[in-house]
Amino acid sequence: MPVAASSTRFLLLSLLLLSSPAVAVVRARVTALIVFGDSTVDAGNNNAVPTAVRSNFPPYGRDFPGGRATGRFCNGRVATDFYSEAFGLRPFVPAYLDPAYGIRDFAVGVCFASAGSGLDVATAGVFSVIPLSKQVDYFRDYKARLAEHLGAAEARAVLADAVFAISIGTNDFIENYFALTTARFLEFTVGDYTDFLIGLARSFLVELYGLGARKIGFTGLGAMGCLPIERGRRVMLCIEEYNAAARSFNAKLRDMVDELADSLPGAQFRVAEVYGFFTGILQNPASYGFVKASRGCCGTGLYEMGYTCSEWDALTCADANRYVFWDAVHPTERANKIIAEYLMNTTFSHFL
């Protein structure tokens, strides 16, 4: 495509995304959305895992189509569901381990993410969830099934034009390093641990590239020190040490991703930078139509997540749309939608 035509197409797409109150549907050559990560994007894989980190029960999912608690840590859909819809695919991305779906469904979108997981295998071990290496194993299995379903050549074409969305890293800090649940805090300084994680992220991206991925969007970390569960421990103040770690991780991730994108032929790797945008929502929630940004909708909103959210359901707010956070860690569906619109415009639209 000529440069002028490509630029015009991107400008029109950007205007469409910015002007629409909903996530715009984009008709283009994106064949599938393939998701790796943690609870920010897990669509229910942990339902099949013997772990306490689950959300396949009320009040989770109360605003999902049919009011189903799918295993998403949200009252409704998560960001990757909105990406899928915006790409003109299906309105949600099914979990690979959900027996209700098969390869026909997964051919246009599949989620391998596991709540509680991290780049560091030790993080996944804290709550016995699916480590990133196992998520990749599931992807290998998916590739074989896709080739059987579509034929080898078509399967390769699907993967080449698929968008890979990655959202992972927060748990490595708040569930592992800063929580002192493993020996990592003894083995590394914060800076050295960050470098360790970036090395793991690099190896992961190279592995995905070797398996056929070409369009990858890696979401950076948000202001994890401002999560309600963390603020509740510090007289409602954000923990700057955690936020500083997130900013450092994001800067190093950006440098690493840029370097890989330049060195791997055909690679379209981008960091979806969310830190500044989400911090803006937290600092000025009224500008986005929110009333509460310091606590979640579920229970007291300061410590509930998973089973504890269910136990305190009687205290759960009536209108989640007024809240940035659904539980003490995860955004509401409305917040996810706003974030997805922003990241579609700034990052994922570049894959078109």
Side-chain angles (χ1 to χ4, degrees):
M1 178 182 294
V3 174
S6 178
S7 299
T8 300
R9 181 185 183 197
F10 177 70
L11 176 59
L12 290 173
L13 171 64
S14 298
L15 291 172
L16 179 62
L17 286 168
L18 288 171
S19 64
S20 174
V23 176
V25 175
V26 179
R27 302 294 180 187
R29 179 64 176 171
V30 171
T31 51
L33 183 67
I34 300 174
V35 182
F36 295 87
D38 55 26
S39 59
T40 55
V41 291
D42 185 356
N45 285 308
N46 275 19
N47 299 349
V49 176
T51 177
V53 186
R54 292 189 182 185
S55 59
N56 56 333
F57 40 76
Y60 288 96
R62 72 180 193 186
D63 298 310
F64 193 84
R68 294 184 295 123
T70 61
R72 289 167 172 81
F73 278 78
C74 186
N75 59 304
R77 291 189 286 171
V78 295
T80 41
D81 295 319
F82 291 111
Y83 299 159
S84 178
E85 186 173 51
F87 283 132
L89 303 171
R90 59 192 306 163
F92 61 89
V93 183
Y96 190 60
L97 299 184
D98 189 333
Y101 301 96
I103 192 60
R104 289 182 180 272
D105 305 293
F106 300 144
V108 295
V110 60
C111 174
F112 301 104
S114 174
S117 196
L119 291 161
D120 185 354
V121 67
T123 301
V126 173
F127 289 109
S128 301
V129 298
I130 305 170
L132 195 54
S133 58
K134 185 62 177 178
Q135 294 182 35
V136 175
D137 286 343
Y138 284 135
F139 175 62
R140 293 177 191 275
D141 180 65
Y142 163 76
K143 279 189 62 180
R145 293 174 63 188
L146 191 67
E148 183 177 351
H149 174 60
L150 298 176
E154 182 61 22
R156 284 194 298 271
V158 167
L159 294 180
D161 283 317
V163 170
F164 289 69
I166 302 166
S167 181
I168 199 166
T170 298
N171 291 327
D172 292 304
F173 291 100
I174 67 171
E175 178 187 308
N176 182 346
Y177 189 88
F178 289 127
L180 315 184
T181 52
T182 74
R184 295 305 195 203
F185 74 101
L186 296 173
E187 300 170 10
F188 299 99
T189 64
V190 177
D192 288 342
Y193 187 59
T194 301
D195 290 339
F196 173 67
L197 294 178
I198 295 300
L200 294 175
R202 188 184 193 282
S203 296
F204 172 55
L205 292 176
V206 170
E207 185 172 21
L208 285 185
Y209 178 86
L211 291 170
R214 292 298 179 266
K215 303 174 180 179
I216 301 179
F218 199 130
T219 302
L221 304 187
M224 56 191 176
C226 294
L227 296 175
I229 198 169
E230 305 302 343
R231 295 181 69 164
R233 298 168 182 168
R234 299 286 180 94
V235 201
M236 299 310 294
L237 298 175
C238 294
I239 304 177
E240 175 54 27
E241 181 185 10
Y242 293 13
N243 289 345
R247 292 192 298 269
S248 175
F249 176 92
N250 291 341
K252 293 178 179 181
L253 178 68
R254 184 168 55 250
D255 289 344
M256 180 273 289
V257 168
D258 287 347
E259 176 265 319
L260 273 186
D262 289 339
S263 62
L264 297 175
Q268 298 180 55
F269 294 175
R270 288 182 175 272
V271 173
E273 304 203 37
V274 72
Y275 185 98
F277 180 73
F278 195 56
T279 299
I281 295 177
L282 298 180
Q283 292 176 342
N284 194 5
S287 295
Y288 298 87
F290 295 110
V291 175
K292 292 282 187 181
S294 60
R295 63 179 63 220
C297 167
C298 178
T300 66
L302 293 177
Y303 77 90
E304 293 90 351
M305 181 186 70
Y307 286 111
T308 52
C309 188
S310 179
E311 290 170 1
W312 289 95
D313 188 18
L315 299 177
T316 297
C317 74
D319 185 5
N321 287 334
R322 294 161 57 88
Y323 286 70
V324 174
F325 291 97
W326 165 244
D327 59 20
V329 175
H330 306 96
T332 58
E333 178 181 68
R334 183 165 175 270
N336 280 327
K337 185 176 183 180
I338 291 171
I339 293 167
E341 289 173 350
Y342 174 77
L343 294 181
M344 272 298 300
N345 183 50
T346 60
T347 305
F348 289 93
S349 60
H350 291 273
F351 296 128
L352 297 171

